[in-house]
Amino acid sequence: MASFALFGATALLATACGRRPTELDTPYEAAVDARKEAKDQKKVPLPPEPKKPEKDKRFFLDGLID
């Protein structure tokens, strides 16, 4: 019985691993979108202009996900 519970917990944890099927917004894209929304509302103070990142920095474990 304990092995069945251990197997079930392992299977549940393994299903949580992975990447979303859609692409996520980068922090720069999110800041640009927030600025556009604030400009459209005109009641909210405008956030500062985001600086475009120089280059996409990869994490050393990205190769396992790709």
Side-chain angles (χ1 to χ4, degrees):
M1 185 67 173
S3 63
F4 181 71
L6 181 62
F7 177 73
T10 304
L12 183 63
L13 288 174
T15 59
C17 297
R19 212 173 200 183
R20 290 178 67 162
T22 60
E23 291 297 318
L24 300 175
D25 288 342
T26 63
Y28 173 74
E29 291 169 345
V32 168
D33 290 342
R35 188 169 168 85
K36 285 180 186 175
E37 288 177 12
K39 189 184 280 188
D40 291 342
Q41 290 179 359
K42 295 183 182 178
K43 293 180 183 178
V44 182
L46 203 60
E49 182 72 34
K51 289 192 281 184
K52 190 160 178 93
E54 296 175 13
K55 184 181 174 186
D56 183 26
K57 296 179 184 176
R58 297 202 30 99
F59 189 65
F60 70 97
L61 292 177
D62 282 347
L64 297 174
I65 297 172
D66 292 337

